[in-house]
Each structure stands twice: as structure tokens, then as C-alpha cells.
Amino acid sequence: MGLLSGKTALVFGLANERSIAWGITQAFHREGATIGISYAGEALERRVKPLAAQVNADFVEECDVSSDEQIAAVAEKAKARFGEIDILVHSIGFANKDELQGHFYNTSRAGFHLAMDISVYSFVGLARAFQPMMRKGGALLTLTYYGSMKVAPNYNMMGVAKAALEASTRYLAADFGPQGIRVNAISAGPIRTLAAMGVSGFRDMYKNFADMAPMRENVTQEDCGNAAVYLCSDWAAHVTGEVHYVDSGYNIMAAPDPRKEQ
Ligand code: NAD
Ligand code: 0WE
């Protein structure tokens, strides 16, 4: 018996084998969940379909979360296929490249809206669309980053979006609590994924992270997967509205530790 045996999980945000969504999907599969997968658009189909096959997922649906119609359509299909679902994972974030460099004050109105729409509103929109088919005892989960709490150079607009995403997690947790559905976020340390590699200065911050973190190690997609299993399982039965750090302890430090390593 796995920790998620008998549960059905829908995972949004799978792009390739480096995606955090893939670490979560594999961990859910290992723990016995039935998996459904949703990906952004046609361009990803060729990469996503073989991954879905590896976890025996036959529900593999395209959904651009900037479209209310596409969210409604995937919810309809999920209802027809599964009836009820237990777990929904939102592992999606996007801002235009322009918004991830230089001064935050140069963020354009359109760039601000786009990042908030795809990275924040989509979680709210998915929560609403799936609310009627979420089973009691179920869980929603999203992915965030510490740039929401402190200034991470160049993260800029995404930091503001993640702050709103974490607040949305709390408001959704309050909304869904009476139905017995929990809503949480994982705040992951930097991981080399498609979204991260397209960022200038990522290499340096990746290395600096491991030097500063108490555990002196970077985190992996697998670490996120295992934390996601806990947060979405009955072991976290009364854990809701939380931002759970999976970051080797980085967020507890105020300065690098100058002491010599043992
Ligand atoms: P990724 O590129 O593998 O995943 C991002 C996903 O967002 C992709 O699958 C992409 O297709 C999807 N997406 C973008 N626009 C979309 C749209 N309009 N409709 C549907 N899907 C859309 O990268 P990742 O690092 O696995 O990112 C997943 C989540 O984890 C993001 O929320 C990211 O902010 C967060 N996160 C990443 C890191 C990191 O360092 N990689 C750290 C903390 C949090
Ligand atoms: O949330 C993220 C990635 C967010 C992201 C990345 C891109 C790159 C390509 C959102 N949109 C885009 N759009 C693109 O066109 N992370 C937590 C990873 C990340 O991104 C950073 C980081 C870290 C860490 C950007 C600047 C500084 C640090």
C-alpha cells in the first residue's frame, strides 16, 4: 500500500523530465496514485506523452491556463473520466523575459498582468473549476519561491507574483477548509529546470544557494515530489494554508556561516 493508494491526482505544469511536476508525478505514481496530466500546448505533446506513459497515465490533456474555456474544458473531461479527484497540483509560472532582468520599476503594465494571470490567477481559476469534483480529504498544491519574501535579484515580477500566489494559497485554504479540502504551497530552492535555465545569473545563484544553505546541498525535483506526497496525503490531514520550504534550510539564514566545516 502506497501513501496515495486509491487517490486520483491531476498534475498541471509538466514540460519535460526536468520539470518539478515530473518529480511530483513520479513520487505520486510510486505511492500508488492514479495520475492525470495536463500540459500547456501542442509544442510539448511530443515530450509529455512518453512521460505520461511511464506512469500509466491515459488522461493527458492540453490546457493553456490563460484561457477560461480551456480550464473549463479540461475540468469537464476530468469529470467524465474520473468522476471525483483527490489531488490537484499547480506547477506553473511564467513572466516575459523582459520582466526577469534589470529594475523591477521597469515592469510594464502588460508584463505585470501576464505574470499575474499565468502564475497566480490560474491557481484560483483551476481551484474554482475543480471545486465541484474534489473529494473530501483532498488537496490542492502549488509551487512557489523565496523571491516572494525577500528580494532575489532579477526575479522581479515573479517575486511579486509568488507573494500573491502564497496569499492566494491562504485565501483558498480558508474557502476550501469547510469542505475538508486542504491547500498548500511548496517553496523550493533553485532547481535546474527549463524555466530556471532560461534565466541569466541562475548558475551563480544556484551555487551560492548551496554554499549558504545549512545543509550545503541543492534541492531536487525528487525532494519536491516527496514533500508533495506528504502534503497531499492523509498524513497532512490538518495541514492547510501553509508554505512549506524544501530548501536545505536556506530561508532560516540571515548571513553565510563563516565557521569552518567539521
Ligand atoms: P518548468 O518549465 O518545467 O515548468 C513550468 C511549467 O509552466 C511548464 O510546464 C510550462 O508549460 C507551464 N506553463 C507556462 N505557461 C503556461 C500556460 N499558459 N498554461 C499552462 N501551462 C503553462 O519549470 P519548473 O521549474 O518545474 O516550474 C514549475 C513551478 O515551480 C513554477 O511555478 C516555478 O515558479 C516553481 N519553482 C521553480 C523553481 C526552480 O528553481 N526551478 C524553484 C521554486 C519554484
Ligand atoms: O519561478 C521560477 C522561474 C520563473 C520563470 C522563468 C522564466 C524563464 C524564461 C518565469 N518565466 C520565465 N519566462 C521565460 O521566458 N524560478 C523560481 C526559477 C528562477 O527564475 C529566476 C530565478 C530563479 C531561482 C529568475 C531570476 C532570478 C532567479
Side-chain angles (χ1 to χ4, degrees), residues 79-160:
K79 187 164 178 54
R81 173 72 177 73
F82 299 115
E84 291 185 302
I85 69 162
D86 301 281
I87 298 166
L88 187 150
V89 177
H90 172 272
S91 185
I92 292 171
F94 187 81
N96 278 328
K97 267 223 151 128
D98 292 351
E99 262 65 58
L100 295 171
Q101 57 202 1
H103 292 294
F104 172 64
Y105 64 62
N106 285 325
T107 303
S108 70
R109 193 182 297 271
F112 195 105
H113 283 159
L114 179 74
M116 293 298 279
D117 188 24
I118 308 227
S119 312
V120 188
Y121 180 76
S122 63
F123 189 43
V124 181
L126 285 172
R128 182 171 61 259
F130 282 86
Q131 186 260 332
M133 67 190 92
M134 290 295 297
R135 196 173 281 129
K136 193 174 159 67
L140 309 182
L141 181 70
T142 189
L143 272 297
T144 185
Y145 177 63
Y146 191 48
S148 61
M149 307 294 287
K150 303 285 176 185
V151 172
N154 296 317
Y155 198 59
N156 297 2
M157 181 59 224
M158 279 304 295
V160 172

Side-chain angles (χ1 to χ4, degrees), residues 33-101:
T34 299
I35 311 278
I37 285 168
S38 177
Y39 59 99
E42 226 186 292
L44 292 172
E45 185 176 337
R46 191 175 54 85
R47 287 196 170 276
V48 168
K49 286 264 161 92
L51 294 176
Q54 282 186 43
V55 295
N56 308 325
D58 55 9
F59 186 93
V60 190
E61 294 293 336
E62 196 177 316
C63 176
D64 178 342
V65 296
S66 66
S67 157
D68 288 337
E69 291 73 25
Q70 290 193 31
I71 290 177
V74 75
E76 189 103 328
K77 284 180 187 162
K79 187 164 178 54
R81 173 72 177 73
F82 299 115
E84 291 185 302
I85 69 162
D86 301 281
I87 298 166
L88 187 150
V89 177
H90 172 272
S91 185
I92 292 171
F94 187 81
N96 278 328
K97 267 223 151 128
D98 292 351
E99 262 65 58
L100 295 171
Q101 57 202 1

